[in-house]
Amino acid sequence: AQSVTQLDSQVPVFEEAPVELRCNYSSSVSVYLFWYVQYPNQGLQLLLKYLSGSTLVKGINGFEAEFNKSQTSFHLRKPSVHISDTAEYFCAVRVGTGGFKTIFGAGTRLFVKA
Amino acid sequence: KAGVTQTPRYLIKTRGQQVTLSCSPISGHRSVSWYQQTPGQGLQFLFEYFSETQRNKGNFPGRFSGRQFSNSRSEMNVSTLELGDSALYLCASLEMKGDGSTDTQYFGPGTRLTVL
């Protein structure tokens, strides 16, 4: 069965510092990988996605992620965070062809301190 | 294009009642999925519809059902509400490409259901 593990439930970091949010997945088939951000009382906004091709994926708001097939990881990084990046971040894997479903990790709460 | 819209945004019901939530996908998107988000269980997949057919279903009891109309709009219904059904219900739409591949799911703002 497929699963997604976000290794940190909370990540506190100071403003302008770099951050890495870790995500590991398990799947016996090819997957599509995503990172979403959720601000309070809002839906999910796509940060970036890996469907195929280059393993380094760049997204919005300065975020990037690297797909590592051998380690089954898809860690999210940003070189310098802002207060406005404080939010919940979800790693997700989409599986299936024809009918599909998206499996989400438990989420990582990023808290940026001044 | 307008984004995914969900109505209502907030809903309060009592145990034993039933509720219907609505989702209008992005124009041209024929796949609609539903997710339940709770603090304890996180984001869980409910079901996925494409061209009025349910193609995939998550591990939820039969009280949870859905349907999709010919214009791709979708509704989900929960009967005999329980306290544990209190959650944010998210709808997402996706464009199926001509070669059978898929691209990005876009999420709506959700419907916050509170069961008292």
Side-chain angles (χ1 to χ4, degrees), chain A residues 29-74:
Chain A
V29 298
S30 296
V31 297
Y32 296 154
L33 295 160
F34 304 83
W35 276 99
Y36 287 90
V37 61
Q38 186 177 36
Y39 299 100
N41 298 315
Q42 294 187 26
L44 300 175
Q45 179 183 5
L46 179 72
L47 279 177
L48 46 79
K49 60 188 176 186
Y50 173 78
L51 303 181
S52 64
S54 173
T55 57
L56 183 61
V57 180
K58 294 191 181 297
I60 63 171
N61 300 340
F63 285 93
E64 63 180 31
E66 185 158 16
F67 170 60
N68 188 319
K69 188 174 182 179
S70 62
Q71 297 186 7
T72 60
S73 68
F74 191 55

Side-chain angles (χ1 to χ4, degrees), chain B residues 56-67:
Chain B
N56 210 341
K57 190 177 191 305
N59 189 25
F60 278 82
R63 300 184 297 107
F64 291 82
S65 63
R67 59 178 176 168

